[in-house]
Amino acid sequence: QVHFEESGGGLVQPGGSLRLSCTASGVRFSSTIMSWYRQRPGKERDRVAFIGPNDGTSYSGSVKGRFTITRDNDKNTVALQMDSLKAEDTADYYCNTFPPQESWGQGTQVVVSS
């Protein structure tokens, strides 16, 4: 059974940093593209970044240069380092495969506010 568990969210001031982590199970992690998604208030969920099995990465234009996605195939984890956070990064963040499975985790909330 596919399961994703996200953690690391919280309240941070603009310009601050957070590191999100996700543990995946029920997927062939080491051979799967993993992605972080976010759903901002009143918006649809969209993709933030993804990382391939061999660590190739891609980022949305709004986070490129500020966010870094990494993975640990031994631990089935994927992380998202978020720096220079802005108010518009406020969202619920989720990890999933790319393309995503039908099942989603609970997500972790990030609030960027002074």
Side-chain angles (χ1 to χ4, degrees), residues 25-95:
S25 58
V27 297
R28 297 179 63 180
F29 188 88
S30 62
S31 60
T32 297
I33 300 172
M34 293 300 299
S35 182
W36 281 96
Y37 301 81
R38 70 183 179 187
Q39 187 166 18
R40 288 177 280 187
K43 304 285 187 181
E44 304 238 331
R45 184 156 44 201
D46 55 18
R47 190 179 69 249
V48 172
F50 66 78
I51 183 167
N54 295 319
D55 292 339
T57 58
S58 178
Y59 299 90
S60 70
S62 61
V63 307
K64 194 170 184 178
R66 300 188 297 120
F67 291 10
T68 304
I69 186 171
T70 56
R71 67 189 295 156
D72 184 334
N73 289 338
D74 291 331
K75 297 180 180 178
N76 283 17
T77 59
V78 58
L80 187 69
Q81 176 67 37
M82 306 187 297
D83 299 317
S84 303
L85 282 161
K86 304 176 181 180
E88 52 263 43
D89 296 318
T90 294
D92 292 325
Y93 285 74
Y94 303 85
C95 75

Side-chain angles (χ1 to χ4, degrees), residues 10-16 18 85-90 110-114:
L11 173 64
V12 63
Q13 292 187 341
L18 279 175
L85 282 161
K86 304 176 181 180
E88 52 263 43
D89 296 318
T90 294
V110 172
V111 177
V112 185
S113 175
S114 55

